[in-house]
Amino acid sequence: MALPQIPSFRLDGKRALVTGASSGIGLGCAAGCAQAGAEVFAMARSADKLETLATEARAAGLNITAVPLDVTDIDALKLWLDGQPAFDVVVNSAGIARHGPALDARPDDFDAVVDVNLKSAYFLASYTAQKMIDEQIEGSIITISSQMAHVGGIERSVYCATKSAVEGFTKAMAIEWGPHKVRINTICPTFIRTALTEATFNQPERIKWIEDKIKLGRVGEVEDIMGAVVFMASDAASLITGTSLLVDGGWTAG
Ligand SMILES: NC(=O)c1ccc[n+]([C@@H]2O[C@H](COP(=O)([O-])OP(=O)(O)OC[C@H]3O[C@@H](n4cnc5c(N)ncnc54)[C@H](OP(=O)(O)O)[C@@H]3O)[C@@H](O)[C@H]2O)c1
């Protein structure tokens, strides 16, 4: 009897675009994809941080190229993508938060968070999928959403709104792009120790809230997301689309 062969978890020969790669989860995803064998294009605004990442990757024998670009400049994003062949893997980790009571949110806060977390995420997925379809690439598009797409969070109404909306377009796009073998999913982390969460981790009452909710009894580290992203990007996940992978330590279990 021939044993079934496990599909590859590797990304050798694949080209991966990772946004938000200058910091935190995106930086981890860029490193993870490169360690899994992909040629990685690391996008964010901070050119100096991206160059440091590319240099350190080179020293480790990995292939990461810096792409300094503001993802809210949709025209510039499209122009850059137009000059590239289709990517096999797209990981969108660019994101911001302006946490505060729902009653205090101002229209400019709302627009700023929606611009990065939702509008740019939408058009990045749309433009990269179009290329995958045109070039018949069976690609994987992954947005770093949040557990806050699935539950409410105190002082996070605008952030929750953007992440829930990402889940919505992911499902709708999966229906349209499935016939082209283009997969689109989200990864939904719990609290991960990064620059984004530094302020929250400095508030003792918030730490208690977080520790009470995470059943596994610890907050997340960037490394906790790296394996999930590489899995979702790889052939091992080739029948997974239109869904979210919760990496939440059991937060949303109840
Ligand atoms: N940390 C958590 O607990 C957690 C939990 C759930 C979900 N998430 C999500 O995970 C993603 C990454 O968060 P993080 O914790 O890694 O935060 P982070 O360390 O603050 O990193 C955010 C990244 O987004 C980039 N970025 C922000 N605005 C951008 C823009 N206009 N154009 C291009 N890049 C931009 C930043 O780079 P530049 O400033 O250089 O542009 C940076 O690389 C976000 O979508 C966040 O919502 C985080």
Side-chain angles (χ1 to χ4, degrees), residues 19-27 43-47 49-50 69-73 92-97 116-117 120 144-148 159 163 187-197 201 222:
T19 75
S22 64
S23 172
I25 293 171
L27 196 157
M43 184 179 283
R45 291 166 303 181
S46 308
K49 291 185 189 170
L50 294 176
L69 201 141
D70 183 335
V71 294
T72 64
D73 187 342
N92 181 21
S93 189
I96 63 167
V116 183
N117 294 9
S120 299
I144 306 299
S145 174
S146 173
Q147 67 178 14
M148 294 301 170
Y159 185 80
K163 296 299 186 178
I187 287 175
C188 292
T190 187
F191 281 87
I192 308 292
R193 215 180 292 279
T194 68
L196 190 78
T197 47
F201 287 135
V222 162

mmCIF file of all heavy atoms in Angstrom, residues 19-27 43-47 49-50 69-73 92-97 116-117 120 144-148 159 163 187-197 201 222, ligand 1:
data_model
loop_
_atom_site.group_PDB
_atom_site.id
_atom_site.type_symbol
_atom_site.label_atom_id
_atom_site.label_comp_id
_atom_site.label_asym_id
_atom_site.label_seq_id
_atom_site.Cartn_x
_atom_site.Cartn_y
_atom_site.Cartn_z
ATOM 1 N N THR A 19 3.335 42.878 3.891
ATOM 2 C CA THR A 19 3.233 44.275 4.299
ATOM 3 C C THR A 19 3.330 44.379 5.825
ATOM 4 O O THR A 19 3.129 43.394 6.533
ATOM 5 C CB THR A 19 1.916 44.928 3.840
ATOM 6 O OG1 THR A 19 0.856 44.437 4.678
ATOM 7 C CG2 THR A 19 1.614 44.649 2.384
ATOM 8 N N GLY A 20 3.637 45.574 6.295
ATOM 9 C CA GLY A 20 3.827 45.756 7.735
ATOM 10 C C GLY A 20 5.063 45.019 8.223
ATOM 11 O O GLY A 20 5.161 44.635 9.387
ATOM 12 N N ALA A 21 6.022 44.862 7.315
ATOM 13 C CA ALA A 21 7.170 43.987 7.596
ATOM 14 C C ALA A 21 8.298 44.692 8.354
ATOM 15 O O ALA A 21 9.311 44.071 8.650
ATOM 16 C CB ALA A 21 7.698 43.408 6.288
ATOM 17 N N SER A 22 8.102 45.957 8.675
ATOM 18 C CA SER A 22 9.173 46.671 9.395
ATOM 19 C C SER A 22 9.104 46.420 10.894
ATOM 20 O O SER A 22 9.996 46.855 11.635
ATOM 21 C CB SER A 22 9.075 48.177 9.125
ATOM 22 O OG SER A 22 7.855 48.694 9.646
ATOM 23 N N SER A 23 8.062 45.741 11.370
ATOM 24 C CA SER A 23 7.854 45.649 12.819
ATOM 25 C C SER A 23 6.949 44.468 13.159
ATOM 26 O O SER A 23 6.129 44.031 12.340
ATOM 27 C CB SER A 23 7.197 46.962 13.278
ATOM 28 O OG SER A 23 6.783 46.891 14.623
ATOM 29 N N GLY A 24 7.085 43.965 14.353
ATOM 30 C CA GLY A 24 6.120 43.065 14.968
ATOM 31 C C GLY A 24 5.761 41.827 14.154
ATOM 32 O O GLY A 24 6.627 41.087 13.674
ATOM 33 N N ILE A 25 4.464 41.619 14.013
ATOM 34 C CA ILE A 25 3.966 40.395 13.374
ATOM 35 C C ILE A 25 4.405 40.315 11.911
ATOM 36 O O ILE A 25 4.804 39.256 11.429
ATOM 37 C CB ILE A 25 2.421 40.339 13.492
ATOM 38 C CG1 ILE A 25 2.021 40.171 14.965
ATOM 39 C CG2 ILE A 25 1.845 39.226 12.637
ATOM 40 C CD1 ILE A 25 0.518 40.307 15.238
ATOM 41 N N GLY A 26 4.348 41.439 11.197
ATOM 42 C CA GLY A 26 4.745 41.443 9.789
ATOM 43 C C GLY A 26 6.212 41.093 9.614
ATOM 44 O O GLY A 26 6.583 40.343 8.704
ATOM 45 N N LEU A 27 7.045 41.627 10.492
ATOM 46 C CA LEU A 27 8.474 41.297 10.441
ATOM 47 C C LEU A 27 8.656 39.791 10.675
ATOM 48 O O LEU A 27 9.409 39.116 9.956
ATOM 49 C CB LEU A 27 9.226 42.113 11.491
ATOM 50 C CG LEU A 27 10.747 42.208 11.372
ATOM 51 C CD1 LEU A 27 11.263 43.457 12.089
ATOM 52 C CD2 LEU A 27 11.443 40.983 11.925
ATOM 53 N N MET A 43 7.314 45.079 2.769
ATOM 54 C CA MET A 43 6.781 46.424 2.527
ATOM 55 C C MET A 43 6.369 47.105 3.831
ATOM 56 O O MET A 43 5.806 46.476 4.730
ATOM 57 C CB MET A 43 5.556 46.312 1.608
ATOM 58 C CG MET A 43 4.952 47.629 1.188
ATOM 59 S SD MET A 43 3.524 47.390 0.060
ATOM 60 C CE MET A 43 4.352 47.014 -1.483
ATOM 61 N N ALA A 44 6.653 48.395 3.928
ATOM 62 C CA ALA A 44 6.209 49.266 5.035
ATOM 63 C C ALA A 44 6.719 50.670 4.681
ATOM 64 O O ALA A 44 7.346 50.855 3.630
ATOM 65 C CB ALA A 44 6.755 48.809 6.379
ATOM 66 N N ARG A 45 6.435 51.647 5.568
ATOM 67 C CA ARG A 45 6.926 53.006 5.284
ATOM 68 C C ARG A 45 8.376 53.195 5.705
ATOM 69 O O ARG A 45 9.106 53.963 5.098
ATOM 70 C CB ARG A 45 6.043 54.029 6.001
ATOM 71 C CG ARG A 45 4.642 54.142 5.432
ATOM 72 C CD ARG A 45 3.727 54.887 6.361
ATOM 73 N NE ARG A 45 3.690 54.247 7.674
ATOM 74 C CZ ARG A 45 2.970 54.651 8.704
ATOM 75 N NH1 ARG A 45 2.224 55.735 8.593
ATOM 76 N NH2 ARG A 45 2.992 53.999 9.853
ATOM 77 N N SER A 46 8.811 52.523 6.777
ATOM 78 C CA SER A 46 10.142 52.788 7.367
ATOM 79 C C SER A 46 11.250 52.098 6.576
ATOM 80 O O SER A 46 11.594 50.936 6.842
ATOM 81 C CB SER A 46 10.182 52.294 8.806
ATOM 82 O OG SER A 46 9.096 52.816 9.526
ATOM 83 N N ALA A 47 11.828 52.857 5.628
ATOM 84 C CA ALA A 47 12.841 52.277 4.742
ATOM 85 C C ALA A 47 14.047 51.765 5.530
ATOM 86 O O ALA A 47 14.599 50.700 5.217
ATOM 87 C CB ALA A 47 13.278 53.326 3.719
ATOM 88 N N LYS A 49 14.258 50.559 8.598
ATOM 89 C CA LYS A 49 13.992 49.283 9.283
ATOM 90 C C LYS A 49 13.936 48.127 8.283
ATOM 91 O O LYS A 49 14.405 47.021 8.563
ATOM 92 C CB LYS A 49 12.665 49.355 10.054
ATOM 93 C CG LYS A 49 12.706 50.293 11.254
ATOM 94 C CD LYS A 49 11.390 50.187 12.014
ATOM 95 C CE LYS A 49 11.288 51.246 13.087
ATOM 96 N NZ LYS A 49 9.944 51.322 13.661
ATOM 97 N N LEU A 50 13.363 48.395 7.115
ATOM 98 C CA LEU A 50 13.283 47.343 6.095
ATOM 99 C C LEU A 50 14.671 46.969 5.596
ATOM 100 O O LEU A 50 14.959 45.791 5.345
ATOM 101 C CB LEU A 50 12.407 47.801 4.922
ATOM 102 C CG LEU A 50 10.922 48.014 5.219
ATOM 103 C CD1 LEU A 50 10.202 48.548 3.986
ATOM 104 C CD2 LEU A 50 10.254 46.720 5.692
ATOM 105 N N LEU A 69 7.010 51.697 1.090
ATOM 106 C CA LEU A 69 5.788 52.190 0.445
ATOM 107 C C LEU A 69 4.697 52.339 1.496
ATOM 108 O O LEU A 69 4.576 51.510 2.402
ATOM 109 C CB LEU A 69 5.346 51.175 -0.621
ATOM 110 C CG LEU A 69 4.434 51.687 -1.725
ATOM 111 C CD1 LEU A 69 4.813 51.072 -3.070
ATOM 112 C CD2 LEU A 69 2.978 51.370 -1.447
ATOM 113 N N ASP A 70 3.914 53.401 1.368
ATOM 114 C CA ASP A 70 2.764 53.626 2.250
ATOM 115 C C ASP A 70 1.556 52.942 1.616
ATOM 116 O O ASP A 70 1.119 53.344 0.531
ATOM 117 C CB ASP A 70 2.532 55.146 2.388
ATOM 118 C CG ASP A 70 1.383 55.483 3.346
ATOM 119 O OD1 ASP A 70 0.483 54.636 3.535
ATOM 120 O OD2 ASP A 70 1.389 56.602 3.881
ATOM 121 N N VAL A 71 1.005 51.932 2.270
ATOM 122 C CA VAL A 71 -0.086 51.160 1.649
ATOM 123 C C VAL A 71 -1.378 51.962 1.502
ATOM 124 O O VAL A 71 -2.277 51.545 0.769
ATOM 125 C CB VAL A 71 -0.377 49.823 2.394
ATOM 126 C CG1 VAL A 71 0.782 48.861 2.299
ATOM 127 C CG2 VAL A 71 -0.812 50.060 3.835
ATOM 128 N N THR A 72 -1.477 53.093 2.195
ATOM 129 C CA THR A 72 -2.685 53.913 2.020
ATOM 130 C C THR A 72 -2.625 54.742 0.738
ATOM 131 O O THR A 72 -3.634 55.316 0.330
ATOM 132 C CB THR A 72 -2.927 54.868 3.216
ATOM 133 O OG1 THR A 72 -1.849 55.796 3.295
ATOM 134 C CG2 THR A 72 -3.060 54.102 4.516
ATOM 135 N N ASP A 73 -1.449 54.789 0.117
ATOM 136 C CA ASP A 73 -1.330 55.428 -1.197
ATOM 137 C C ASP A 73 -1.671 54.348 -2.230
ATOM 138 O O ASP A 73 -0.803 53.678 -2.790
ATOM 139 C CB ASP A 73 0.093 55.974 -1.392
ATOM 140 C CG ASP A 73 0.208 56.782 -2.672
ATOM 141 O OD1 ASP A 73 -0.666 56.648 -3.563
ATOM 142 O OD2 ASP A 73 1.197 57.542 -2.793
ATOM 143 N N ASN A 92 -0.762 40.392 4.450
ATOM 144 C CA ASN A 92 -0.989 41.804 4.748
ATOM 145 C C ASN A 92 -1.043 42.002 6.262
ATOM 146 O O ASN A 92 -2.059 41.722 6.901
ATOM 147 C CB ASN A 92 -2.293 42.276 4.106
ATOM 148 C CG ASN A 92 -2.526 43.747 4.384
ATOM 149 O OD1 ASN A 92 -1.588 44.486 4.694
ATOM 150 N ND2 ASN A 92 -3.759 44.163 4.307
ATOM 151 N N SER A 93 0.055 42.506 6.815
ATOM 152 C CA SER A 93 0.107 42.727 8.268
ATOM 153 C C SER A 93 0.133 44.211 8.621
ATOM 154 O O SER A 93 0.160 44.560 9.802
ATOM 155 C CB SER A 93 1.341 42.019 8.859
ATOM 156 O OG SER A 93 1.308 42.031 10.256
ATOM 157 N N ALA A 94 0.136 45.098 7.613
ATOM 158 C CA ALA A 94 0.111 46.538 7.920
ATOM 159 C C ALA A 94 -1.178 46.834 8.673
ATOM 160 O O ALA A 94 -2.264 46.441 8.243
ATOM 161 C CB ALA A 94 0.177 47.349 6.630
ATOM 162 N N GLY A 95 -1.062 47.502 9.796
ATOM 163 C CA GLY A 95 -2.261 47.814 10.564
ATOM 164 C C GLY A 95 -1.953 48.820 11.653
ATOM 165 O O GLY A 95 -0.808 48.934 12.102
ATOM 166 N N ILE A 96 -2.982 49.568 12.026
ATOM 167 C CA ILE A 96 -2.827 50.542 13.110
ATOM 168 C C ILE A 96 -4.036 50.450 14.041
ATOM 169 O O ILE A 96 -5.048 49.837 13.700
ATOM 170 C CB ILE A 96 -2.675 52.004 12.598
ATOM 171 C CG1 ILE A 96 -3.934 52.453 11.840
ATOM 172 C CG2 ILE A 96 -1.435 52.154 11.733
ATOM 173 C CD1 ILE A 96 -3.983 53.949 11.576
ATOM 174 N N ALA A 97 -3.913 51.090 15.194
ATOM 175 C CA ALA A 97 -5.028 51.160 16.145
ATOM 176 C C ALA A 97 -5.040 52.551 16.762
ATOM 177 O O ALA A 97 -3.982 53.154 16.959
ATOM 178 C CB ALA A 97 -4.849 50.104 17.231
ATOM 179 N N VAL A 116 -5.992 52.201 6.642
ATOM 180 C CA VAL A 116 -4.932 51.176 6.670
ATOM 181 C C VAL A 116 -5.542 49.780 6.805
ATOM 182 O O VAL A 116 -5.253 48.889 6.012
ATOM 183 C CB VAL A 116 -3.940 51.407 7.843
ATOM 184 C CG1 VAL A 116 -2.814 50.371 7.789
ATOM 185 C CG2 VAL A 116 -3.370 52.804 7.807
ATOM 186 N N ASN A 117 -6.386 49.595 7.823
ATOM 187 C CA ASN A 117 -6.824 48.239 8.185
ATOM 188 C C ASN A 117 -7.835 47.646 7.208
ATOM 189 O O ASN A 117 -7.912 46.429 7.082
ATOM 190 C CB ASN A 117 -7.458 48.229 9.581
ATOM 191 C CG ASN A 117 -6.475 48.540 10.682
ATOM 192 O OD1 ASN A 117 -5.342 48.932 10.413
ATOM 193 N ND2 ASN A 117 -6.888 48.389 11.923
ATOM 194 N N SER A 120 -6.882 49.695 2.456
ATOM 195 C CA SER A 120 -5.630 49.194 1.856
ATOM 196 C C SER A 120 -5.635 47.680 1.790
ATOM 197 O O SER A 120 -5.157 47.091 0.812
ATOM 198 C CB SER A 120 -4.420 49.658 2.665
ATOM 199 O OG SER A 120 -4.368 51.054 2.675
ATOM 200 N N ILE A 144 -3.677 39.675 8.221
ATOM 201 C CA ILE A 144 -3.615 39.555 9.672
ATOM 202 C C ILE A 144 -4.768 40.382 10.217
ATOM 203 O O ILE A 144 -4.721 41.613 10.239
ATOM 204 C CB ILE A 144 -2.266 40.030 10.250
ATOM 205 C CG1 ILE A 144 -1.081 39.304 9.556
ATOM 206 C CG2 ILE A 144 -2.250 39.799 11.765
ATOM 207 C CD1 ILE A 144 -1.050 37.798 9.714
ATOM 208 N N SER A 145 -5.821 39.677 10.585
ATOM 209 C CA SER A 145 -7.019 40.310 11.132
ATOM 210 C C SER A 145 -6.836 40.377 12.646
ATOM 211 O O SER A 145 -5.797 40.862 13.120
ATOM 212 C CB SER A 145 -8.233 39.483 10.697
ATOM 213 O OG SER A 145 -9.411 39.916 11.275
ATOM 214 N N SER A 146 -7.753 39.863 13.419
ATOM 215 C CA SER A 146 -7.607 39.900 14.878
ATOM 216 C C SER A 146 -8.709 39.066 15.511
ATOM 217 O O SER A 146 -9.787 38.912 14.926
ATOM 218 C CB SER A 146 -7.728 41.337 15.384
ATOM 219 O OG SER A 146 -7.751 41.370 16.803
ATOM 220 N N GLN A 147 -8.453 38.575 16.717
ATOM 221 C CA GLN A 147 -9.561 37.975 17.478
ATOM 222 C C GLN A 147 -10.665 39.009 17.657
ATOM 223 O O GLN A 147 -11.839 38.655 17.843
ATOM 224 C CB GLN A 147 -9.068 37.468 18.831
ATOM 225 C CG GLN A 147 -8.617 38.583 19.781
ATOM 226 C CD GLN A 147 -8.181 38.078 21.147
ATOM 227 O OE1 GLN A 147 -7.957 36.889 21.323
ATOM 228 N NE2 GLN A 147 -8.049 38.959 22.118
ATOM 229 N N MET A 148 -10.304 40.302 17.595
ATOM 230 C CA MET A 148 -11.273 41.387 17.768
ATOM 231 C C MET A 148 -12.226 41.507 16.571
ATOM 232 O O MET A 148 -13.101 42.366 16.556
ATOM 233 C CB MET A 148 -10.559 42.715 18.023
ATOM 234 C CG MET A 148 -9.795 42.764 19.327
ATOM 235 S SD MET A 148 -10.884 42.485 20.744
ATOM 236 C CE MET A 148 -9.675 42.295 22.061
ATOM 237 N N TYR A 159 -11.464 49.764 15.796
ATOM 238 C CA TYR A 159 -10.564 48.659 15.430
ATOM 239 C C TYR A 159 -11.375 47.392 15.148
ATOM 240 O O TYR A 159 -11.164 46.724 14.121
ATOM 241 C CB TYR A 159 -9.584 48.438 16.587
ATOM 242 C CG TYR A 159 -8.509 47.407 16.342
ATOM 243 C CD1 TYR A 159 -7.373 47.722 15.597
ATOM 244 C CD2 TYR A 159 -8.610 46.121 16.870
ATOM 245 C CE1 TYR A 159 -6.377 46.782 15.382
ATOM 246 C CE2 TYR A 159 -7.621 45.177 16.659
ATOM 247 C CZ TYR A 159 -6.509 45.509 15.927
ATOM 248 O OH TYR A 159 -5.521 44.572 15.714
ATOM 249 N N LYS A 163 -11.657 45.144 11.588
ATOM 250 C CA LYS A 163 -11.251 43.734 11.510
ATOM 251 C C LYS A 163 -12.449 42.844 11.132
ATOM 252 O O LYS A 163 -12.292 41.879 10.393
ATOM 253 C CB LYS A 163 -10.613 43.292 12.828
ATOM 254 C CG LYS A 163 -9.308 44.040 13.158
ATOM 255 C CD LYS A 163 -8.232 43.830 12.102
ATOM 256 C CE LYS A 163 -6.892 44.439 12.479
ATOM 257 N NZ LYS A 163 -5.833 44.202 11.478
ATOM 258 N N ILE A 187 -5.739 35.468 9.483
ATOM 259 C CA ILE A 187 -5.223 34.908 10.730
ATOM 260 C C ILE A 187 -5.595 35.905 11.824
ATOM 261 O O ILE A 187 -5.431 37.126 11.654
ATOM 262 C CB ILE A 187 -3.704 34.680 10.639
ATOM 263 C CG1 ILE A 187 -3.474 33.469 9.726
ATOM 264 C CG2 ILE A 187 -3.095 34.444 12.025
ATOM 265 C CD1 ILE A 187 -2.061 33.166 9.427
ATOM 266 N N CYS A 188 -6.148 35.375 12.896
ATOM 267 C CA CYS A 188 -6.706 36.230 13.946
ATOM 268 C C CYS A 188 -5.956 36.021 15.262
ATOM 269 O O CYS A 188 -6.308 35.131 16.054
ATOM 270 C CB CYS A 188 -8.189 35.917 14.114
ATOM 271 S SG CYS A 188 -9.150 36.431 12.683
ATOM 272 N N PRO A 189 -4.951 36.856 15.506
ATOM 273 C CA PRO A 189 -4.179 36.690 16.740
ATOM 274 C C PRO A 189 -4.883 37.285 17.952
ATOM 275 O O PRO A 189 -5.696 38.208 17.841
ATOM 276 C CB PRO A 189 -2.898 37.495 16.469
ATOM 277 C CG PRO A 189 -2.911 37.853 15.021
ATOM 278 C CD PRO A 189 -4.356 37.861 14.614
ATOM 279 N N THR A 190 -4.554 36.729 19.106
ATOM 280 C CA THR A 190 -4.873 37.385 20.368
ATOM 281 C C THR A 190 -3.818 38.482 20.616
ATOM 282 O O THR A 190 -3.142 38.924 19.676
ATOM 283 C CB THR A 190 -4.894 36.365 21.535
ATOM 284 O OG1 THR A 190 -5.380 37.055 22.698
ATOM 285 C CG2 THR A 190 -3.529 35.750 21.798
ATOM 286 N N PHE A 191 -3.663 38.924 21.837
ATOM 287 C CA PHE A 191 -2.659 39.956 22.129
ATOM 288 C C PHE A 191 -1.246 39.391 21.954
ATOM 289 O O PHE A 191 -0.876 38.411 22.603
ATOM 290 C CB PHE A 191 -2.833 40.476 23.562
ATOM 291 C CG PHE A 191 -3.961 41.453 23.673
ATOM 292 C CD1 PHE A 191 -5.259 41.021 23.888
ATOM 293 C CD2 PHE A 191 -3.737 42.819 23.531
ATOM 294 C CE1 PHE A 191 -6.316 41.925 23.969
ATOM 295 C CE2 PHE A 191 -4.780 43.730 23.609
ATOM 296 C CZ PHE A 191 -6.078 43.286 23.832
ATOM 297 N N ILE A 192 -0.515 40.012 21.059
ATOM 298 C CA ILE A 192 0.868 39.617 20.759
ATOM 299 C C ILE A 192 1.775 40.763 21.198
ATOM 300 O O ILE A 192 1.438 41.939 20.988
ATOM 301 C CB ILE A 192 1.045 39.378 19.237
ATOM 302 C CG1 ILE A 192 -0.015 38.399 18.687
ATOM 303 C CG2 ILE A 192 2.460 38.917 18.923
ATOM 304 C CD1 ILE A 192 0.084 36.975 19.141
ATOM 305 N N ARG A 193 2.899 40.427 21.779
ATOM 306 C CA ARG A 193 3.803 41.465 22.281
ATOM 307 C C ARG A 193 4.519 42.155 21.113
ATOM 308 O O ARG A 193 5.422 41.583 20.500
ATOM 309 C CB ARG A 193 4.849 40.819 23.204
ATOM 310 C CG ARG A 193 5.270 41.678 24.369
ATOM 311 C CD ARG A 193 6.299 40.980 25.213
ATOM 312 N NE ARG A 193 5.783 39.825 25.910
ATOM 313 C CZ ARG A 193 5.096 39.898 27.053
ATOM 314 N NH1 ARG A 193 4.849 41.060 27.612
ATOM 315 N NH2 ARG A 193 4.668 38.793 27.632
ATOM 316 N N THR A 194 4.055 43.357 20.744
ATOM 317 C CA THR A 194 4.669 44.145 19.660
ATOM 318 C C THR A 194 4.557 45.625 20.033
ATOM 319 O O THR A 194 3.964 45.969 21.063
ATOM 320 C CB THR A 194 3.929 43.954 18.309
ATOM 321 O OG1 THR A 194 2.626 44.563 18.426
ATOM 322 C CG2 THR A 194 3.774 42.499 17.918
ATOM 323 N N ALA A 195 5.050 46.492 19.142
ATOM 324 C CA ALA A 195 4.944 47.937 19.369
ATOM 325 C C ALA A 195 3.478 48.359 19.514
ATOM 326 O O ALA A 195 3.146 49.253 20.296
ATOM 327 C CB ALA A 195 5.593 48.688 18.209
ATOM 328 N N LEU A 196 2.599 47.677 18.759
ATOM 329 C CA LEU A 196 1.174 48.043 18.756
ATOM 330 C C LEU A 196 0.537 47.849 20.131
ATOM 331 O O LEU A 196 -0.380 48.582 20.508
ATOM 332 C CB LEU A 196 0.436 47.169 17.733
ATOM 333 C CG LEU A 196 -1.009 47.545 17.403
ATOM 334 C CD1 LEU A 196 -1.040 48.737 16.454
ATOM 335 C CD2 LEU A 196 -1.742 46.378 16.754
ATOM 336 N N THR A 197 0.984 46.842 20.868
ATOM 337 C CA THR A 197 0.338 46.496 22.136
ATOM 338 C C THR A 197 1.100 47.013 23.356
ATOM 339 O O THR A 197 0.684 46.772 24.492
ATOM 340 C CB THR A 197 0.185 44.962 22.263
ATOM 341 O OG1 THR A 197 1.418 44.351 21.911
ATOM 342 C CG2 THR A 197 -0.918 44.433 21.375
ATOM 343 N N PHE A 201 -0.049 46.827 27.323
ATOM 344 C CA PHE A 201 0.684 46.023 28.307
ATOM 345 C C PHE A 201 1.235 46.875 29.453
ATOM 346 O O PHE A 201 1.702 46.337 30.451
ATOM 347 C CB PHE A 201 1.794 45.221 27.628
ATOM 348 C CG PHE A 201 1.279 44.054 26.809
ATOM 349 C CD1 PHE A 201 1.766 43.790 25.538
ATOM 350 C CD2 PHE A 201 0.297 43.208 27.318
ATOM 351 C CE1 PHE A 201 1.288 42.728 24.792
ATOM 352 C CE2 PHE A 201 -0.190 42.140 26.576
ATOM 353 C CZ PHE A 201 0.313 41.899 25.308
ATOM 354 N N VAL A 222 5.510 37.046 18.623
ATOM 355 C CA VAL A 222 5.494 37.044 17.155
ATOM 356 C C VAL A 222 5.671 35.627 16.604
ATOM 357 O O VAL A 222 5.025 35.232 15.621
ATOM 358 C CB VAL A 222 6.616 37.988 16.656
ATOM 359 C CG1 VAL A 222 6.957 37.728 15.212
ATOM 360 C CG2 VAL A 222 6.202 39.444 16.899
HETATM 361 N N1 LIG B 1 -0.056 42.829 18.280
HETATM 362 C C1 LIG B 1 -1.257 42.304 18.511
HETATM 363 O O1 LIG B 1 -1.621 41.960 19.645
HETATM 364 C C2 LIG B 1 -2.206 42.070 17.387
HETATM 365 C C3 LIG B 1 -3.319 41.262 17.642
HETATM 366 C C4 LIG B 1 -4.212 41.012 16.604
HETATM 367 C C5 LIG B 1 -3.995 41.569 15.357
HETATM 368 N N2 LIG B 1 -2.904 42.370 15.141
HETATM 369 C C6 LIG B 1 -2.726 42.925 13.805
HETATM 370 O O2 LIG B 1 -1.467 42.532 13.322
HETATM 371 C C7 LIG B 1 -0.991 43.516 12.404
HETATM 372 C C8 LIG B 1 0.422 43.916 12.784
HETATM 373 O O3 LIG B 1 0.398 44.465 14.079
HETATM 374 P P1 LIG B 1 1.708 44.531 14.994
HETATM 375 O O4 LIG B 1 1.275 44.200 16.353
HETATM 376 O O5 LIG B 1 2.804 43.789 14.367
HETATM 377 O O6 LIG B 1 1.966 46.101 14.963
HETATM 378 P P2 LIG B 1 3.300 46.960 14.722
HETATM 379 O O7 LIG B 1 4.452 46.303 15.377
HETATM 380 O O8 LIG B 1 2.918 48.334 15.120
HETATM 381 O O9 LIG B 1 3.491 46.877 13.152
HETATM 382 C C9 LIG B 1 2.603 47.510 12.271
HETATM 383 C C10 LIG B 1 3.210 47.487 10.898
HETATM 384 O O10 LIG B 1 2.314 48.124 9.999
HETATM 385 C C11 LIG B 1 3.061 49.021 9.197
HETATM 386 N N3 LIG B 1 2.222 50.098 8.706
HETATM 387 C C12 LIG B 1 1.382 50.898 9.430
HETATM 388 N N4 LIG B 1 0.833 51.818 8.627
HETATM 389 C C13 LIG B 1 1.320 51.586 7.379
HETATM 390 C C14 LIG B 1 1.128 52.207 6.122
HETATM 391 N N5 LIG B 1 0.313 53.269 5.976
HETATM 392 N N6 LIG B 1 1.800 51.719 5.044
HETATM 393 C C15 LIG B 1 2.622 50.660 5.174
HETATM 394 N N7 LIG B 1 2.839 50.030 6.341
HETATM 395 C C16 LIG B 1 2.196 50.495 7.431
HETATM 396 C C17 LIG B 1 4.169 49.517 10.140
HETATM 397 O O11 LIG B 1 5.285 49.964 9.402
HETATM 398 P P3 LIG B 1 5.734 51.487 9.158
HETATM 399 O O12 LIG B 1 5.368 52.270 10.377
HETATM 400 O O13 LIG B 1 7.180 51.356 8.888
HETATM 401 O O14 LIG B 1 4.956 51.897 7.946
HETATM 402 C C18 LIG B 1 4.531 48.230 10.833
HETATM 403 O O15 LIG B 1 5.439 47.478 10.049
HETATM 404 C C19 LIG B 1 -1.993 44.660 12.448
HETATM 405 O O16 LIG B 1 -2.885 44.537 11.369
HETATM 406 C C20 LIG B 1 -2.721 44.429 13.749
HETATM 407 O O17 LIG B 1 -4.010 44.957 13.724
HETATM 408 C C21 LIG B 1 -2.011 42.621 16.123
#
